[in-house]
């Protein structure tokens, strides 16, 4: 039985957010409304029979595979999970309060993949959640909840790939209990015609450490929204990232760091590379509530423009209600420097290669923040490959078994 | 056939004529020095030879090994064996020294239809050459020229030259910023590269460098032209008398 629910019917009344809404000022969902995809039915992903290689970061990890938003036990390592880690399908949690009004959050599916790490457990290997999409004019809804018990530790990689004009509406809810530590690394490498809208809610407790990095290279329109609630003291939250947009790509990163309690540190460095016809959006807000004395907050968005036909909109914001805090933010825009290109060329390095080296170097000081070495190396490779394909023939992802 | 032949070269920068009909012939095996007042066009000549954008050639020609140099892109010139040691080496944040050298060497090898260099062997080779120039492993790991002192940058240029083994080297004030010991080290490095099939052009303000690297010919460049050429004794004379007579002549 096929359920032919259209996205706009499912969302109903309020419809998709429009640029009239402050937080959607720079990202217009008109094209998504025009596509008005059909919600993918439960078995639509079954035609995908293998996990494609190439685009995905190669990291030794237990894989949890979703096709068109549904868990695929047959493609996953559910029986080979590290000790103390469980993965199961559960009822999706209610959306957090701050997103309740949001039509897209209401679109979240009834079930979610729940990842739990028991108290005191340090997972012996990383988990890699892989969302694969294939289809046209189709909406999928991968949803993950992650909870780490007290003092638990985990490295979680989240990858998104696919081909087609699909819309992936991603939700991730992450909760860290006291003294837990999570390395959370996301690769958004969805197809170049895809729409990717992701909401990640982080709830961090006392003495927790969150090391996050998001690398976004895919989609025709991508919005990656992160909301971190620092709901404890002595939290160390690092939310860094890099994004690269070429012709016909719009990549939006929107973060909100809510410092609710004293003596926490949040650190955000995002770096973007934008080529002709590409557009980046960065909206970052740090809120320091009255109780959050001794907050140390840092936020920086840097964009490298490869062409005069590239665009970046940066909107950093600080809202501070405590008096004893150290917060700073900024945004910069730069170009490749001719004298650096010439220096490289004067050593025999062809212009294209010289550009790649300089772009890689530019992104390197964002990527070096990835705390997990194998992921750092894998992401560096992703960037190199992106640069190569970007100037040459674009990479086409072959998803075996799909679309037959 | 001479290695480098510059004939009646004219070049503009930002619409202003800087090189005004410059002639220079360097044969393989020779070391030439160019001296001249500030702003006379020495670095401009070096950039025009290396192929920098924004330096517009309006007349004349340059033959490198008989081939028209000016129609080639900067990277092709380098891979054909032309090397410019920069007066002001450029900082490359985020590009490690070893990566830079390996890219450069592999570009040349690809250009020559050869395989990429073996990484381990290359590391050894670079370390050995770096050591003779007083460059530490730590410096090789750092981003190219970032945070290097003036003298370290110049030594780094000398290292690139030693690794790339060019056929024609242009050294733009490689001696400036070097202390006396470093000057000797770099000069020894250059002398070690003197060979019958290699040409060297040294741009300098000081005769002292030419005590270490003895030139076959010395030229005075003023107002965009070679005003006079002579043997190494010309450098001694310039050191004594300065450039007054050439500036006057040009004006
Ligand atoms: N990008 C530029 N724009 C405008 N003028 C320039 C530019 N580059 C060089 N010039 C001018 O060209 C002239 C020659 O400069 P060049 O650097 O070649 O001199 P030089 O002989 O190397 O001097 P120095 O001994 O000080 O190194 C100078 O008058 C300089 O101001
Ligand atoms: Mg000069």
């Amino acid at each position: 039985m096929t359920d032919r629910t259209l996205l706009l019917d499912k969302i109903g009344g309020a419809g998709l957010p429009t640029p009239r809404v402050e937080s959607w000022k720079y990202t217009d969902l008109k094209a998504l409304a025009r596509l008005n995809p059909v919600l993918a039915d439960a078995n639509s992903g079954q035609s995908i029979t293998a996990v494609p290689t190439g685009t995905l970061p190669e990291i030794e990890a237990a894989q949890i595979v979703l096709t068109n938003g549904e868990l695929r036990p047959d493609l996953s390592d559910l029986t080979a999970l590290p000790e103390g880690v469980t993965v199961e399908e559960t009822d999706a949690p209610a959306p957090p309060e701050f997103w309740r009004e949001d039509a897209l959050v209401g679109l979240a599916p009834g079930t979610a993949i729940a990842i739990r790490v028991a108290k005191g457990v340090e997972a012996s290997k990383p988990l890699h959640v892989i969302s694969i999409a294939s289809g046209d004019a189709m909406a999928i809804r991968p949803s993950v909840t992650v909870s780490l018990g007290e003092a638990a530790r985990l490295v979680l990689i989240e990858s998104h790939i696919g081909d087609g004009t699909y819309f992936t509406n991603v939700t991730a809810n992450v909760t860290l209990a006291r003294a837990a530590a999570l390395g959370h690394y996301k690769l958004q490498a969805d197809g170049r015609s895809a729409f990717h809208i992701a909401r990640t809610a982080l709830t961090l407790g006392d003495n927790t450490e969150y090391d996050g990095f998001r690398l976004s290279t895919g989609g025709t329109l991508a919005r990656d929204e992160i909301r971190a609630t620092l709901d404890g003291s002595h939290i160390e939250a690092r939310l860094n990232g890099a994004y690269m947009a070429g012709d016909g790509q719009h990549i939006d990163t929107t973060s909100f760091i809510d410092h609710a309690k004293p003596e926490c540190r949040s650190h955000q460095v995002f770096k973007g590379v934008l080529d002709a016809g590409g557009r980046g959006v960065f909206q970052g807000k740090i809120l320091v509530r009255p109780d959050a004395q001794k907050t140390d907050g840092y936020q920086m968005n840097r964009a490298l423009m490869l062409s005069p036909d590239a665009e970046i909109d940066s909107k950093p914001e600080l809202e501070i209600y405590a008096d004893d805090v150290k917060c700073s933010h900024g945004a910069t825009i730069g170009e490749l420097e001719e004298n650096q290109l010439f220096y490289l060329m004067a050593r025999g390095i062809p212009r294209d290669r010289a550009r790649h080296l300089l772009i890689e170097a530019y992104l390197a000081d964002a990527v070096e923040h990835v705390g997990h070495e194998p992921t750092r190396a894998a992401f560096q490779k992703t960037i190199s490959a992106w640069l190569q394909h970007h100037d040459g023939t674009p990479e086409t992802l072959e998803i075996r078994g799909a679309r037959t | 056939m001479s290695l480098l032949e510059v004939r009646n070269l004219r070049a503009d920068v930002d619409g202003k004529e800087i090189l005004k009909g410059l002639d220079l012939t360097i044969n393989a095996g020779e070391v030439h020095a160019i001296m001249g007042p500030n702003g006379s066009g020495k670095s401009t000549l070096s950039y025009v030879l290396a192929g920098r954008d924004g330096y517009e050639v309006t007349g004349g020609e340059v033959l490198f090994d008989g081939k028209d140099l000016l129609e080639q892109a900067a990277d092709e010139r380098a891979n054909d064996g032309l090397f410019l040691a920069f007066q002001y080496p450029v900082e490359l944040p985020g590009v490690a020294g070893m990566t830079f050298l390996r890219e450069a060497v592999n570009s040349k090898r690809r250009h020559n239809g050869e395989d990429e260099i073996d990484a381990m062997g290359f590391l050894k080779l670079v370390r050995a050459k770096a050591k003779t120039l007083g460059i530490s492993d730590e410096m090789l790991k750092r981003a190219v020229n970032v945070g290097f002192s003036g003298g370290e940058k110049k030594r780094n240029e000398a290292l690139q030259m030693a690794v790339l083994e060019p056929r024609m080297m242009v050294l733009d004030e490689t001696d400036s910023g070097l202390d006396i010991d470093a000057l000797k080290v770099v000069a020894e490095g250059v002398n070690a590269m003197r060979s019958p099939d290699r040409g060297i052009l040294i741009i300098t303000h000081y005769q002292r460098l030419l005590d270490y690297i003895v030139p076959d010919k010395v030229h005075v460049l003023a107002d965009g032209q070679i005003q006079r050429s002579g043997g190494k004794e010309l450098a001694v004379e310039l050191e004594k008398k300065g450039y007054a007579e050439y500036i006057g002549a040009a004006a």
Side-chain angles (χ1 to χ4, degrees):
Chain A
M1 239 242 17
T2 317
D3 170 13
R4 305 291 300 174
T5 313
L6 289 165
L7 173 75
L8 293 181
D9 293 342
K10 173 81 178 176
I11 288 174
L16 293 168
T18 71
R20 276 196 297 274
V21 179
E22 179 65 20
S23 62
W24 288 88
K25 187 172 158 191
Y26 302 108
T27 298
D28 193 336
L29 297 180
K30 258 201 313 271
L32 178 58
R34 219 177 299 127
L35 180 69
N36 197 11
V38 171
L39 299 190
D41 63 63
N43 296 316
S44 76
Q46 290 298 325
S47 61
I48 298 168
T49 55
V51 177
T53 52
T55 310
L56 287 170
E58 280 171 41
I59 298 162
E60 169 88 24
Q63 297 191 341
I64 298 159
V65 178
L66 288 77
T67 59
N68 287 357
E70 304 280 334
L71 179 65
R72 285 292 294 277
D74 58 320
L75 299 178
S76 303
D77 299 321
L78 297 177
T79 53
L81 295 172
E83 216 173 294
V85 177
T86 60
V87 176
E88 56 179 347
E89 271 188 290
T90 58
D91 291 342
E97 202 184 322
F98 42 80
W99 281 333
R100 258 183 216 155
E101 302 297 312
D102 189 313
L104 284 165
V105 170
L107 186 66
T111 60
I113 311 302
I115 297 169
R116 294 193 190 85
V117 185
K119 179 175 166 177
V121 168
E122 177 172 352
S124 61
K125 66 175 159 184
L127 295 194
H128 189 174
V129 175
I130 301 169
S131 171
I132 310 169
S134 181
D136 290 318
M138 164 196 86
I140 64 168
R141 298 171 289 167
S143 179
V144 179
T145 68
V146 180
S147 41
L148 268 59
E150 207 175 299
R153 301 179 78 87
L154 176 70
V155 169
L156 175 72
I157 299 119
E158 180 190 339
S159 295
H160 300 263
I161 57 171
D163 85 308
T165 56
Y166 59 91
F167 164 42
T168 177
N169 185 54
V170 184
T171 45
N173 287 287
V174 175
T175 310
L176 303 191
R178 189 188 163 72
L182 178 67
H184 182 191
Y185 311 112
K186 175 179 172 180
L187 171 68
Q188 188 277 98
D190 272 306
R192 287 287 285 259
S193 314
F195 294 80
H196 176 110
I197 300 182
R199 300 300 207 312
T200 302
L202 310 173
T203 309
L204 309 179
D206 284 326
N207 297 82
T208 52
E209 184 183 342
Y210 177 84
D211 183 51
F213 193 91
R214 0 205 14 109
L215 176 59
S216 303
T217 64
T220 179
L221 184 148
R223 158 102 159 190
D224 193 21
E225 200 168 326
I226 313 120
R227 174 94 180 207
T229 306
L230 276 54
D231 194 19
S233 291
H234 305 286
I235 295 168
E236 162 86 17
R238 295 184 293 272
L239 295 97
N240 304 305
Y243 51 92
M244 300 186 280
D247 195 20
Q249 289 189 288
H250 175 116
I251 297 185
D252 170 337
T253 303
T254 295
S255 73
F256 187 123
I257 314 293
D258 183 348
H259 279 268
K261 301 273 167 66
E263 299 190 49
C264 294
R265 197 178 97 93
S266 68
H267 181 272
Q268 300 176 75
V269 172
F270 280 84
K271 283 194 136 185
V273 174
L274 304 164
D275 205 352
R279 184 175 176 196
V281 173
F282 181 83
Q283 307 183 98
K285 180 166 176 174
I286 303 177
L287 168 67
V288 182
R289 294 183 190 266
D291 278 354
Q293 298 294 359
K294 307 252 184 252
T295 288
D296 181 347
Y298 177 75
Q299 181 192 84
M300 178 58 77
N301 179 51
R302 297 189 192 280
L304 181 68
M305 316 299 273
L306 300 182
S307 154
D309 301 322
E311 188 178 339
I312 177 78
D313 296 284
S314 274
K315 189 181 155 202
E317 262 184 291
L318 290 177
E319 198 176 317
I320 301 176
Y321 297 101
D323 48 24
D324 183 14
V325 302
K326 196 175 100 192
C327 282
S328 60
H329 67 177
T332 63
I333 294 178
E335 289 170 22
L336 288 180
E337 298 207 14
E338 273 307 318
N339 67 335
Q340 294 182 338
L341 279 171
F342 174 62
Y343 191 58
L344 289 159
M345 289 177 74
R347 296 299 174 254
I349 300 167
R351 192 173 181 91
D352 276 353
R353 182 75 197 132
R355 280 165 58 92
H356 291 178
L357 280 172
L358 292 177
I359 297 168
E360 276 179 44
Y362 181 81
L363 293 176
D365 79 352
V367 178
E368 79 179 11
H369 285 110
V370 174
H372 184 243
E373 204 283 321
T375 305
R376 193 187 319 140
F379 278 11
Q380 247 138 17
K381 265 172 106 173
T382 304
I383 289 170
S384 305
W386 185 89
L387 289 168
Q388 232 130 49
H389 292 299
H390 180 64
D391 282 353
T393 34
E395 190 171 19
T396 47
L397 186 62
E398 275 186 43
I399 295 180
R400 212 171 352 136
R403 313 234 251 163
T404 41
Chain B
M1 185 178 55
S2 38
L3 184 61
L4 185 75
E5 190 147 351
V6 180
R7 293 188 196 141
N8 197 25
L9 183 64
R10 293 177 173 271
D12 284 7
V13 184
D14 272 352
K16 185 175 147 202
E17 184 162 66
I18 307 295
L19 300 184
K20 304 176 182 176
L22 188 142
D23 294 287
L24 182 68
T25 301
I26 299 176
N27 294 310
E30 291 178 354
V31 175
H32 289 226
I34 287 187
M35 303 181 81
N38 294 129
S40 56
K42 303 183 299 298
S43 293
T44 301
L45 172 64
S46 75
Y47 286 144
V48 169
L49 292 178
R52 185 172 195 149
D53 282 349
Y55 289 73
E56 204 199 332
V57 176
T58 56
E61 61 179 344
V62 180
L63 300 180
F64 180 39
D65 225 5
K67 269 204 305 194
D68 183 355
L69 184 76
L70 299 176
E71 72 175 16
Q72 288 185 299
D75 55 313
E76 295 168 324
R77 300 181 194 192
N79 289 328
D80 275 344
L82 180 81
F83 184 95
L84 168 62
F86 283 53
Q87 181 175 2
Y88 303 107
V90 178
E91 299 190 2
L92 301 176
V95 181
M98 277 310 280
T99 308
F100 176 64
L101 285 169
R102 201 176 50 235
E103 288 284 344
V105 166
N106 281 333
S107 294
K108 185 172 171 185
R109 292 173 74 105
R110 266 192 294 272
H111 177 85
N112 294 338
E114 295 163 10
D115 286 341
E116 292 198 355
I117 199 156
D118 157 72
M120 277 317 288
F122 183 61
L123 188 67
K124 273 200 193 130
L125 171 91
V126 172
R127 280 205 177 130
K129 300 210 171 190
K131 207 171 162 195
T132 64
L133 289 162
I135 294 172
S136 65
D137 278 7
E138 188 264 338
M139 259 171 75
L140 287 174
K141 280 191 195 127
R142 272 157 61 184
V144 177
N145 293 326
V146 177
F148 286 22
S149 72
E152 285 170 343
K153 285 179 182 170
K154 294 302 175 74
R155 269 185 280 171
N156 203 29
E157 295 291 288
L159 173 64
Q160 292 164 29
M161 201 158 63
V163 170
L164 288 168
E165 301 184 325
R167 285 188 303 149
M168 177 72 222
M169 314 173 356
V170 179
L171 282 68
D172 192 357
E173 295 197 27
T174 300
D175 53 336
S176 65
L178 291 177
D179 64 41
I180 295 162
D181 296 333
L183 182 71
K184 280 188 200 158
V185 167
V186 169
E188 274 163 27
V190 173
N191 280 331
M193 293 184 77
R194 279 184 97 143
S195 91
D197 51 11
R198 186 173 279 143
I200 302 179
L201 176 61
I202 295 173
I203 296 170
T204 184
H205 284 295
Y206 306 105
Q207 183 239 327
R208 195 179 54 206
L209 177 67
L210 305 180
D211 289 341
Y212 295 111
I213 310 170
V214 181
D216 299 298
K217 277 202 175 125
V218 176
H219 310 274
V220 181
L221 173 57
D223 194 35
Q225 287 183 329
I226 301 293
Q227 305 287 347
R228 190 174 153 200
S229 301
K232 63 175 194 286
E233 68 290 343
L234 180 54
V236 181
E237 184 192 318
L238 289 169
E239 185 99 351
K240 279 200 203 104
K241 298 213 248 165
Y243 297 111
E245 68 182 275
Y246 304 102
I247 294 172

